Amino acid sequence: MNTKPANSKLIQLVKLLRDGDYHDGNSLGETLDITRSAIWKMVKKLEGYGIKIDAIMGRGYIMSEPLYLLEPDVIKQAFAQRVELTVLESTPSTNNYFKLSPKTPAIKCCIAEHQTQGRGRLNRTWHSPFGKNLYLSCYHPLKKDLSELSGLSLVISLSIVSALRELGLTDSVFVKWPNDVLSNGKKIAGILIDVEAESHGGCDVTIGIGLNVNMFHNDELQSKSIDQAWTSMAEECGVAFDRSQVAVVLLQKLLDYIARFEEEGFGVFIDEWRSVDSLANKSIALNCINQIIEGSAAGIDQKGHLLLQLDDGTIRAFSSGDARLLKN
Ligand code: BTN
């Protein structure tokens, strides 16, 4: 499998190049204690990942974009006690990574700089350019029956909203049932949960989160294949974010919210959901098992199912579906 661990020399090189100045191969090699040709190989590797680096004769290399690679030590320091953390340079999909690893009672997290086969909901592809966003999966054994998991994806959306608010996106962030996170009406994060029921009654879940951090629309290569309205933290705030810091805050919130869900169930999150529900009282079309049902979104029930008020006034609950806002 083409999974590669994070490469500390590559991370150091990017930190040196990030200042937007010229750096010659010899002095970069000296600083990193490697040869000039090893520097050249790493520059080629970054270019292969779509990162633009100019090489100017007599002056050296220059990288004009602010690239923040993940720093495994920074993230591990924050979580050493709570989870086993793996940081990868590249992998097909961080969710699939856990399908291939042995089951354990421990909580494990995997974050990658790049996914070659990132998966979205409803068989979509999740666009995963190198070094721009967060692609994170958390393997978590839960003391819960499969039937109790219906609210989990909503709880994960709330944990992302809470992280984004802490990171400075204060009033713009809302949830769209069942598990999209939007900023100013555009998708900023998505969630994909793989569940395996265990014979002893519990469930092993792999929670995958894709969070758009430093991806920009004017970077044509990065964005052209996305077919829905999207935004990123950098586009919303006008600055590039240090992705390790974002990962730390996100993981912290994620683990706290899951722990509370496991202890107290979904009911305690309903008020929080209401406060950030982007669909509330809006006319929507729900695409649900080959039929489209229109109505007015009326919040969620105790299980996290969507309540839809139909034209005849009745309210129906839906456990799954894809919602689209209708123009009034
Ligand atoms: C969606 O369609 O909204 C869900 C997107 C989930 C993407 C994340 S990125 C990390 C993890 N690995 C994957 O292959 N998918 C999820």
Side-chain angles (χ1 to χ4, degrees):
M1 189 168 80
N2 48 353
T3 285
K4 294 186 193 135
N7 173 336
S8 64
K9 293 286 181 198
L10 192 74
I11 296 165
Q12 288 175 53
L13 175 65
V14 166
K15 276 176 113 171
L16 293 171
L17 289 177
R18 197 164 57 208
D19 62 4
D21 254 339
Y22 287 96
H23 294 268
D24 72 85
N26 281 333
S27 47
L28 287 169
E30 268 167 33
T31 312
L32 298 187
D33 200 19
I34 51 177
T35 61
R36 204 179 64 165
S37 98
I39 295 285
W40 180 83
K41 277 191 195 146
M42 287 200 287
V43 167
K44 290 289 144 202
K45 179 184 243 193
L46 288 168
E47 285 176 349
Y49 281 131
I51 305 301
K52 201 170 167 304
I53 296 175
D54 290 325
I56 309 288
M57 193 89 111
R59 299 189 77 180
Y61 300 110
I62 184 162
M63 184 173 76
S64 40
E65 58 183 306
L67 187 65
Y68 287 90
L69 294 193
L70 296 166
E71 295 187 58
D73 294 345
V74 172
I75 311 171
K76 281 183 182 157
Q77 211 176 3
F79 292 101
Q81 312 298 320
R82 290 182 83 179
V83 294
E84 273 174 38
L85 184 81
T86 306
V87 181
L88 299 172
E89 182 180 306
S90 182
T91 192
S93 149
T94 53
N95 266 37
N96 292 4
Y97 178 81
F98 288 120
K99 284 196 176 155
L100 303 167
S101 39
K103 307 256 162 299
T104 59
I107 303 168
K108 292 188 272 189
C109 285
C110 168
I111 315 180
E113 291 290 3
H114 174 236
Q115 296 184 123
T116 52
Q117 291 161 36
R119 293 193 287 126
R121 283 178 67 227
L122 309 171
N123 285 327
R124 292 190 183 116
T125 300
W126 188 256
H127 189 61
S128 311
F130 177 85
K132 303 284 171 172
N133 303 320
L134 281 183
Y135 321 112
L136 176 157
S137 297
C138 184
Y139 166 84
H140 202 308
L142 281 175
K143 294 189 281 309
K144 284 211 173 289
D145 186 76
L146 193 59
S147 62
E148 298 171 277
L149 292 190
S150 57
L152 178 64
S153 67
L154 285 72
V155 171
I156 305 305
S157 320
L158 291 176
S159 74
I160 301 172
V161 171
S162 178
L164 288 173
R165 293 200 162 180
E166 190 162 315
L167 288 159
L169 283 80
T170 40
D171 299 326
S172 64
V173 188
F174 289 86
V175 290
K176 175 171 165 265
W177 186 91
N179 54 9
D180 281 351
V181 179
L182 313 178
S183 183
N184 287 314
K186 289 173 279 183
K187 185 155 168 169
I188 194 164
I191 298 158
L192 180 73
I193 302 185
D194 293 322
V195 184
E196 236 178 273
E198 287 298 316
S199 51
H200 51 73
C203 282
D204 292 332
V205 294
T206 298
I207 297 158
I209 298 178
L211 170 63
N212 296 339
V213 182
N214 289 336
M215 185 163 72
F216 280 95
H217 277 85
N218 61 10
D219 193 343
E220 227 187 292
L221 266 181
Q222 314 296 353
S223 61
K224 66 176 182 213
S225 59
I226 305 177
D227 60 1
Q228 47 189 329
W230 64 270
T231 187
S232 67
M233 295 175 68
E235 284 208 337
E236 294 297 296
C237 299
V239 286
F241 282 79
D242 178 336
R243 291 163 59 247
S244 303
Q245 299 302 337
V246 176
V248 167
V249 176
L250 181 63
L251 259 179
Q252 196 111 48
K253 294 288 184 186
L254 180 66
L255 295 172
D256 289 351
Y257 273 68
I258 298 174
R260 187 157 181 236
F261 173 74
E262 195 170 24
E263 282 296 306
E264 301 177 46
F266 178 68
V268 293
F269 293 97
I270 293 181
D271 283 345
E272 192 171 334
W273 180 272
R274 280 199 191 115
S275 70
V276 288
D277 180 359
S278 70
L279 296 181
N281 304 317
K282 303 251 169 67
S283 295
I284 63 164
L286 188 70
N287 194 340
C288 164
I289 323 171
N290 296 332
Q291 55 170 334
I292 295 179
I293 302 157
E294 293 188 1
S296 173
I300 53 168
D301 66 13
Q302 289 288 325
K303 291 181 175 156
H305 294 172
L306 178 77
L307 297 174
L308 198 58
Q309 181 161 37
L310 308 180
D311 282 349
D312 63 5
T314 55
I315 292 188
R316 270 181 71 185
F318 293 87
S319 61
S320 64
D322 205 29
R324 178 171 55 84
L325 279 180
L326 292 172
K327 291 193 184 91
N328 287 314

